[in-house]
Amino acid sequence: MAAALQILPRLARAPLRPLFLGGPVARLASGMALAEQARQLFESTVGAVLPGPMLHRALSLDLDSGQLKVRDRSFQLRQNLYLVGFGKAVLGMAAAAEELLGQHLVQGVISVPKGIRAAMEHAGKQEMLLKPHSRIQVFEGAEDNLPDRDALRAALAIRQLAEGLTADDLLLVLISGGGSALLPAPIPPVTLEEKQTLTKLLAARGANIQELNTIRKALSQLKGGGLAQAAYPAQVVSLILSDVVGDPMEVIASGPTVASVHSVQDCLHILNRYGLRAALPRSVKTVLARADSDPHGPHSCGHVLNVIIGSNALALAEAQRQAEALGYRAMVLSTAMQGDVKSVAQFYALLVRVVGAHLTPPGPGTSVEEDEQLYELAAKLQLPDLQLKEALEAVAGAGSPVCLLAGGEPTVQLQGSGKGGRNQELALRVGAELGQWPLGPIDVLFLSGGTDGQDGPTEAAGAWVMPELASQATTEGLDVATFLAHNDSHTFFSRFQGGAHLLHTGLTGTNVMDAHILFLRPQ
Ligand SMILES: Nc1ncnc2c1ncn2[C@@H]1O[C@H](COP(=O)(O)OP(=O)(O)OP(=O)(O)O)[C@@H](O)[C@H]1O
Ligand SMILES: O=C(O)[C@H](O)CO
């Protein structure tokens, strides 16, 4: 991400206005209004998990008594408060914490992506920057989300601060996605290069984030509860912004303040699964063998309070509220949308067809088989929290426009060398699928965006589509299938209608995976 750090103008913030249902004459205008509403809904979604609002929801400070409240726990501040942080969203989180804690904060160290301060400055996002004479020292590193020497220096400074604390101190730990690469402290004799190579290989062979971070924890001094251990006997409060489906605290940034429950056997299984066990460097074998016979066992974290302060679910709940205020019947379908982007696109297209049939008068409705197909596709995607039946029941006979929301992180198997991201590719695939069927008198819009504001290595956060996309593209000489075959969704959207379907937010300063917004509105 860091190499491409660039900020684009923020979305124009116009007040959200309900749609006025009109006849066919108003169709084009209402199509544009729908797009504008989707953009603004996306902005509200992200707005709910921006560092400032999140920190203020999680922390409160009584200036008279010096009591810091975190959820239902209170901590007495008396020149004993320290801060560390690591992750892509931590600069803004630290700025908000600094603002809130004022003089109570004694000292801090954070590890954030290379170039992020310049990017935020360039964007005029003062609220994401620390004060000029801040007590928080900033390290920038982990270019391209890989642990490097700069990140290692940051990790060592963080460890040093933690190890210097006493039983009277309180350590506030700010954690967000990208934290694993920004806090590398390999256990000797494992070197940074060896750890980097192993994690790169695992990722390239398809290991998921749970598997990847299990290995990272086993080879790290600070992950898997190591940071909490270093800070002992100080009390530790971790404020965590989740970028992992289901918000597992032990996985996010490899859980530096959460005791690891994994055994060496778990690690060996993972390494076996990806054909890496035989070729392990001697140092890695040594560290794993040592862990097996460690008489101290895993780190204990009884002195830690871990709190998830922001997540995809929280962001989508806000989107649901906003959509309802606009007159939509709104529902969150899932916050765990994962799986291959092709299957996810098919799911959305079939969902549109099934929900559309519920919303429109009898006509080219769906068959019972299509309902069944939708459930089958949903089962194949294995979405643990999917509210499909509930959503279909809620929209049956609704008579009002419907907004279905989902979040997560589908995966793209890269085959071509084009330019794109998973959100733009998903939107393009949904658009192409939607064009294949007649949908009846209904307006449909689908938007997919990365809440961090950067979709893959592109300058856009995502894109939005309508069923007319493929036919309109043809009139411009653009063949959707060809762009998809080359994973070239960004080039497509940059050309199509002069880039009007791209979602540009600039870096948002937060990251709770992707958000999907689906509008269906009877004409
Ligand atoms: N040409 C492309 N078309 C579609 N997807 C792409 C393309 N190039 C990269 N990607 C996808 O982009 C993702 C990497 O981008 P990004 O840095 O936004 O992801 P990330 O590190 O998972 O970020 P985050 O979780 O912080 O949003 C990968 O999922 C990759 O498959
Ligand atoms: O840093 C990491 O490990 C990933 O972003 C998941 O939190």
Side-chain angles (χ1 to χ4, degrees):
M1 171 177 108
L5 278 182
Q6 195 180 344
I7 299 285
L8 289 149
R10 214 158 162 266
L11 287 173
R13 188 188 273 278
L16 283 171
R17 242 176 278 119
L19 272 186
F20 297 105
L21 299 183
V25 187
R27 185 140 187 226
L28 183 64
S30 71
M32 290 314 292
L34 215 55
E36 196 43 41
Q37 282 199 335
R39 284 170 194 270
Q40 292 186 21
L41 205 55
F42 181 76
E43 201 181 348
S44 309
T45 311
V46 172
V49 284
L50 288 179
M54 270 187 326
L55 261 290
H56 280 97
R57 274 195 303 267
L59 293 182
S60 65
L61 177 64
D62 182 337
L63 288 174
D64 294 332
S65 66
Q67 288 266 321
L68 179 68
K69 267 196 101 171
V70 188
R71 296 278 151 92
D72 56 353
R73 294 266 304 272
S74 285
F75 300 87
Q76 183 60 50
L77 302 186
R78 42 182 130 68
Q79 285 301 298
N80 60 346
L81 178 62
Y82 296 80
L83 179 151
V84 296
F86 31 86
K88 291 184 188 179
V90 157
L91 182 62
M93 288 166 78
E98 178 179 58
E99 182 72 39
L100 201 131
L101 300 168
Q103 296 300 315
H104 288 283
L105 182 63
V106 180
Q107 190 196 346
V109 180
I110 59 172
S111 176
V112 292
K114 187 141 284 173
I116 193 151
R117 280 176 299 186
M120 291 300 175
E121 236 162 64
H122 185 69
K125 295 198 171 180
Q126 288 307 316
E127 72 280 13
M128 299 284 172
L129 295 166
L130 295 173
K131 295 184 193 313
H133 301 290
S134 175
R135 296 175 178 186
I136 302 173
Q137 187 183 6
V138 182
F139 287 82
E140 291 192 1
E143 199 147 14
D144 298 327
N145 207 14
L146 286 170
D148 56 14
R149 295 268 143 212
D150 292 328
L152 181 64
R153 266 192 288 279
L156 295 180
I158 286 172
R159 190 184 69 186
Q160 197 180 14
L161 187 151
E163 283 175 346
L165 301 178
T166 69
D168 292 333
D169 295 326
L170 173 63
L171 179 65
L172 196 58
V173 185
L174 306 177
I175 300 179
S176 78
S180 290
L182 284 158
L183 193 73
I187 300 175
V190 177
T191 65
L192 187 65
E193 289 71 21
E194 283 168 338
K195 208 173 160 197
Q196 205 184 76
T197 308
L198 188 57
T199 42
K200 248 182 170 167
L201 275 172
L202 276 164
R205 293 185 184 193
N208 62 30
I209 192 69
Q210 282 77 8
E211 293 169 327
L212 202 62
N213 285 359
T214 301
I215 302 296
R216 280 168 157 164
K217 284 192 262 189
L219 302 180
S220 166
Q221 299 174 47
L222 296 177
K223 298 180 166 91
L227 175 61
Q229 188 70 42
Y232 185 84
Q235 297 198 76
V236 176
V237 172
S238 278
L239 304 180
I240 306 167
L241 174 60
S242 170
D243 72 330
V244 180
V245 164
D247 309 332
M249 293 198 276
E250 72 284 8
V251 179
I252 303 160
S254 305
T257 55
V258 186
S260 176
V261 292
H262 296 290
S263 65
V264 173
Q265 279 311 316
D266 295 332
C267 295
L268 295 178
H269 281 312
I270 294 168
L271 295 166
N272 259 336
R273 192 171 306 146
Y274 297 101
L276 291 167
R277 188 160 168 193
L280 283 181
R282 182 185 295 272
S283 60
V284 172
K285 286 184 190 156
T286 308
V287 168
L288 290 180
R290 234 193 264 151
D292 227 0
S293 54
D294 184 357
H296 304 297
H299 302 299
S300 76
C301 291
H303 57 302
V304 182
L305 173 64
N306 284 304
V307 185
I308 298 273
I309 61 166
S311 64
N312 192 271
L314 220 137
L316 291 187
E318 176 60 22
Q320 183 179 14
R321 263 192 298 280
Q322 294 285 346
E324 278 166 357
L326 291 170
Y328 286 92
R329 182 162 291 212
M331 278 213 56
V332 176
L333 269 180
S334 168
T335 58
M337 204 40 95
Q338 44 191 347
D340 184 67
V341 73
K342 288 182 195 160
S343 308
V344 176
Q346 282 166 1
F347 169 79
Y348 278 122
L350 201 51
L351 180 70
V352 166
R353 191 154 159 76
V354 171
V355 174
H358 285 293
L359 287 178
T360 52
T366 51
S367 57
V368 176
E369 292 85 68
E370 276 173 336
D371 278 32
E372 282 170 3
Q373 241 181 304
L374 181 63
Y375 279 103
E376 272 169 29
L377 206 48
K380 198 173 124 194
L381 287 171
Q382 295 183 332
L383 310 175
D385 63 345
L386 184 66
Q387 302 281 304
L388 181 55
K389 190 160 165 282
E390 294 79 355
L392 294 181
E393 280 168 8
V395 301
S400 57
V402 166
C403 173
L404 297 176
L405 300 153
E409 223 171 62
T411 42
V412 179
Q413 303 285 337
L414 285 182
Q415 275 149 359
S417 54
K419 190 170 178 189
R422 58 177 179 259
N423 289 283
Q424 290 160 82
E425 174 135 350
L426 175 63
L428 189 52
R429 286 189 181 278
V430 171
E433 294 270 348
L434 288 177
Q436 290 178 15
W437 297 303
L439 285 170
I442 188 164
D443 289 327
V444 176
L445 183 142
F446 176 80
L447 177 148
S448 182
T451 56
D452 62 354
Q454 190 180 29
D455 185 30
T458 77
E459 291 160 357
W464 60 272
V465 295
M466 297 178 86
E468 302 78 23
L469 172 112
S471 59
Q472 289 175 346
T474 309
T475 66
E476 291 187 35
L478 304 171
D479 177 37
V480 171
T482 308
F483 284 95
L484 282 175
H486 295 99
N487 298 112
D488 208 11
S489 52
H490 185 68
T491 310
F492 172 85
F493 281 114
S494 303
R495 292 190 195 155
F496 178 56
Q497 298 187 347
H501 288 237
L502 280 171
L503 178 67
H504 280 305
T505 60
L507 286 183
T508 60
T510 188
N511 179 16
V512 292
M513 301 181 286
D514 304 335
H516 305 154
I517 298 172
L518 179 60
F519 285 147
L520 294 106
R521 199 186 56 135
Q523 284 158 13

